[in-house]
Amino acid sequence: MEVLRILMSIGPTETMHFQTWSDVAGNAPALTAVDPVTGVRVRFPDLEVENEKFDKALIMPEPCPFLDRSLPIVSIIRPTNTEGAATGALAFLTAMGLFIGQSAGFFVYMKQLAQDADAAERECD
């Protein structure tokens, strides 16, 4: 289960965005520009740093002590926590207005469904 959780945390799209940033945008030089609409001066700093840990072109696997200090070098962008995930997703989607106009019965059903999903346990062979 832990390996599956880690693999799902990587997310192919996030990985590609990170790689693109590191390979292309991360190597952009410092730039100062003026927004033509607002007239606001915008400055993009030089991202070059001395600390290898924050190298702008760092795309290879690195140590991941926030997850577990005993792990070897791994490729992870962010960990996931599945505890309360279904209930949290329901609350988020409700708050953003996805279910506007639904009946009270809909919300009772969805809340129970989310709680059941959060309480479910995976059977391992």
Side-chain angles (χ1 to χ4, degrees):
M1 287 303 294
E2 189 69 13
V3 171
L4 180 60
R5 191 174 140 229
I6 290 169
L7 291 174
M8 289 172 30
S9 297
I10 294 171
T13 301
E14 289 182 70
T15 303
M16 290 307 297
H17 288 161
F18 179 72
Q19 182 180 15
T20 300
W21 167 258
S22 297
D23 286 349
V24 180
N27 291 322
L31 171 70
T32 300
V34 177
D35 184 315
V37 175
T38 64
V40 173
R41 187 172 178 226
V42 180
R43 181 177 176 278
F44 295 94
D46 181 1
L47 299 175
E48 190 63 47
V49 294
E50 295 292 323
N51 186 337
E52 181 183 316
K53 210 175 191 180
F54 300 107
D55 187 341
K56 63 186 179 183
L58 194 59
I59 62 172
M60 299 307 290
E62 294 296 324
C64 192
F66 70 88
L67 188 60
D68 187 330
R69 291 192 183 281
S70 69
L71 288 175
I73 291 175
V74 293
S75 290
I76 284 190
I77 293 175
R78 64 180 170 84
T80 60
N81 182 355
T82 58
E83 186 177 331
T87 304
L90 177 62
F92 169 76
L93 295 171
T94 301
M96 66 181 266
L98 184 66
F99 304 124
I100 290 175
Q102 294 295 332
S103 68
F106 170 84
F107 289 103
V108 169
Y109 175 77
M110 291 300 289
K111 183 177 179 182
Q112 186 61 55
L113 186 64
Q115 289 172 341
D116 290 347
D118 285 337
E121 293 185 17
R122 183 172 191 263
E123 293 183 27
C124 296
D125 295 330

